[in-house]
């Protein structure tokens, strides 16, 4: 692909020639401290992973690059099974290329149908390769401009994942999990405080002295790691809270940190349904108590939480 240039012709899935209007390249240095799908590892689709001789030779793509399967485009990260489609951890730094046709098109890469570059707003991260091209700066839309629908819902991706995994001898995806959130508070002096009791759907904490702020800490997990890569939910979720009540001296009041637009380091998720909020496993609460008090949290969701490394969760056929 690195030898292609603007004005070269490529064949689409319909056997029609399309002219390249842009060729871009970028450099990636892997960050192994992040989750696999965020670290930058390339994905290796092994020969014959999809069907006999499909692809006809190993194909390396980035995590978000889409493969055309079952009538739609599925991000490669949602197809990883650890055997025939895998994160290639032998490559820690690489240059990668994108080629763009005037209309978004399905093109063949090592025999496998994939997509030409689709500008959803990330063109600026690429350096243009070859001659300078005049391009419209209009960001494209999946609904109106894509050559095929983007498929990321579980109902669209799970059966595809299972079929490819079964072909590789992978029986399924099984995480070792717990439903215990290990919920506790961390006070400003680093004291760790566990619930004193549960009552009426609330988890109760007894605070021994005046506290301005504290951290609400729990286990946390990403649904894609717990259930499988075919789940397109990569949020790190701790516990889901609907109500926070503080009994402080002679007054009772509600704490609403989880309902406010979150600060970057607050540990609360944005864009949650009204009246509730997810933590990311370590969230700030500003309570400003005057002395000993009682804090009641209504927990309405959370877990399961993963206890094993995601890469060790592939279950092989006996």
């Amino acid at each position: 692909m690195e030898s292609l240039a603007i004005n070269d012709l490529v064949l689409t899935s319909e056997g029609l020639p399309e002219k390249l209007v842009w060729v871009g390249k970028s450099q990636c240095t892997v960050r192994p401290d992040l989750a696999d799908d965020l670290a930058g590892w390339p994905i290796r689709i092994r020969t014959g992973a999809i069907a006999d001789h499909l692809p006809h030779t190993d194909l390396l793509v980035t995590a978000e690059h889409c493969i055309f399967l079952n009538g739609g485009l599925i991000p490669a990260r949602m197809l990883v099974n650890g055997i025939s489609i895998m994160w290639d951890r032998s490559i820690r730094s690489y240059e990668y290329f994108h080629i763009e046709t005037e209309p978004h098109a399905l093109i063949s890469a090592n025999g496998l149908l994939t997509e030409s570059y689709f500008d959803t707003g990330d063109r600026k991260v690429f350096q243009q390769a070859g001659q300078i091209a005049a391009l419209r700066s209009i960001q494209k839309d999946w609904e109106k401009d894509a050559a095929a629908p983007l498929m990321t819902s579980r109902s669209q991706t799970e059966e595809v994942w299972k079929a490819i995994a079964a072909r590789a001898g992978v029986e399924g995806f099984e995480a070792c999990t717990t439903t215990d959130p290990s919920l506790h508070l961390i006070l400003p002096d680093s004291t760790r405080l566990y619930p004193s009791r549960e009552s009426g759907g609330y988890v109760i904490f007894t605070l021994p002295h005046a506290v301005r702020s504290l951290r609400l800490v729990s286990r946390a997990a990403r649904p894609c790691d717990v259930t499988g890569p075919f789940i397109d939910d990569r949020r790190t979720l701790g516990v889901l809270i609907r109500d926070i009540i503080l009994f402080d001296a002679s007054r009772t009041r509600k704490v609403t940190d989880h309902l406010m637009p979150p600060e970057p380091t607050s540990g609360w998720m944005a864009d949650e349904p009204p009246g509730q909020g997810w933590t990311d496993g370590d969230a700030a609460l500003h309570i400003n108590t005057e002395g000993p008090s009682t804090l009641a949290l209504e927990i309405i969701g959370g877990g399961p939480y993963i206890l094993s490394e995601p890469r060790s969760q592939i279950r092989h056929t006996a």
Side-chain angles (χ1 to χ4, degrees):
M1 184 174 288
E2 56 267 32
S3 63
L4 292 172
I6 292 171
N7 292 324
D8 283 352
L9 296 178
V10 295
L11 288 179
T12 69
S13 59
E14 298 174 341
L16 301 174
E18 280 289 350
K19 183 184 293 187
L20 297 185
V21 297
W22 178 80
V23 177
K25 65 179 179 179
S26 188
Q27 182 72 30
C28 179
T29 300
V30 174
R31 291 189 53 189
D33 55 306
L34 299 179
D36 287 341
D37 56 304
L38 302 175
W41 302 111
I43 292 174
R44 182 176 294 275
I45 304 176
R46 292 201 175 277
T47 303
I50 308 302
D52 291 345
H53 311 297
L54 193 64
H56 56 67
T57 49
D58 284 11
L59 176 65
L60 284 168
V61 296
T62 54
E64 298 300 328
H65 197 71
C66 292
I67 309 300
F68 182 73
L69 295 165
N70 278 25
L73 288 163
I74 302 177
R77 61 178 166 79
M78 300 185 73
L79 302 171
V80 170
N81 58 47
I83 301 297
S84 63
I85 302 180
M86 58 190 292
W87 301 105
D88 192 330
R89 297 186 183 86
S90 69
I91 302 174
R92 288 180 171 254
S93 180
Y94 57 92
E95 191 174 57
Y96 62 102
F97 292 79
H98 275 306
I99 58 174
E100 183 177 17
T101 52
E102 179 58 36
H104 189 224
L106 301 178
I107 57 178
S108 176
N110 296 9
L112 189 63
L113 283 181
T114 179
E115 61 170 335
S116 62
Y117 174 72
F118 192 60
D119 184 12
T120 55
D122 65 343
R123 191 190 298 274
K124 62 181 178 295
V125 306
F126 297 96
Q127 176 184 353
Q128 184 166 316
Q131 68 187 81
I132 301 299
L135 290 168
R136 293 173 301 171
S137 59
I138 300 173
Q139 186 171 316
K140 293 186 177 180
D141 179 84
W142 275 100
E143 294 291 331
K144 298 183 298 183
D145 305 313
L150 178 64
M151 302 201 312
T152 57
S153 70
R154 183 173 183 175
S155 63
Q156 296 170 316
T157 58
E158 184 171 11
E159 290 307 312
V160 176
W161 184 91
K162 286 182 176 178
I164 296 172
R167 179 177 174 82
V170 175
E171 185 178 300
F173 185 95
E174 186 174 50
C176 179
T177 63
T178 180
T179 57
D180 176 16
S182 188
L183 190 67
H184 57 280
L185 305 179
I186 296 183
L187 304 185
D189 63 2
S190 298
T191 298
R192 196 178 298 258
L193 199 62
Y194 288 91
S196 56
R197 66 187 187 279
E198 294 186 23
S199 176
Y202 285 80
V203 177
I204 312 297
F205 292 89
T206 302
L207 305 179
H209 50 71
V211 176
R212 176 177 292 274
S213 64
L214 48 78
R215 307 292 298 188
L216 174 62
V217 178
S218 71
R219 288 189 171 99
R222 304 190 310 165
C224 63
D225 294 333
V226 174
T227 306
F230 44 82
I231 299 291
D232 193 33
D233 189 344
R234 297 187 286 170
R235 297 176 301 166
T236 300
L237 302 178
V239 291
L240 181 61
I241 296 178
R242 180 157 54 203
D243 206 12
I244 304 175
I245 303 175
L246 183 67
F247 302 92
D248 182 18
S250 60
R251 61 189 182 128
T252 299
R253 55 189 169 95
K254 289 196 173 185
V255 179
T256 59
D257 291 40
H258 61 308
L259 307 179
M260 305 297 288
E263 297 292 332
T265 59
S266 70
W268 296 102
M269 297 284 170
D271 301 322
E272 292 307 315
Q276 59 190 49
W278 277 103
T279 76
D280 66 3
D282 185 358
L285 283 178
H286 303 283
I287 57 176
N288 295 313
T289 65
E290 299 174 0
S293 57
T294 300
L295 185 67
L297 306 172
E298 185 183 16
I299 310 295
I300 59 173
Y305 304 98
I306 196 165
L307 296 177
S308 60
E309 285 292 322
R311 66 190 63 172
S312 69
Q313 293 166 197
I314 300 299
R315 187 173 67 250
H316 300 278
T317 307

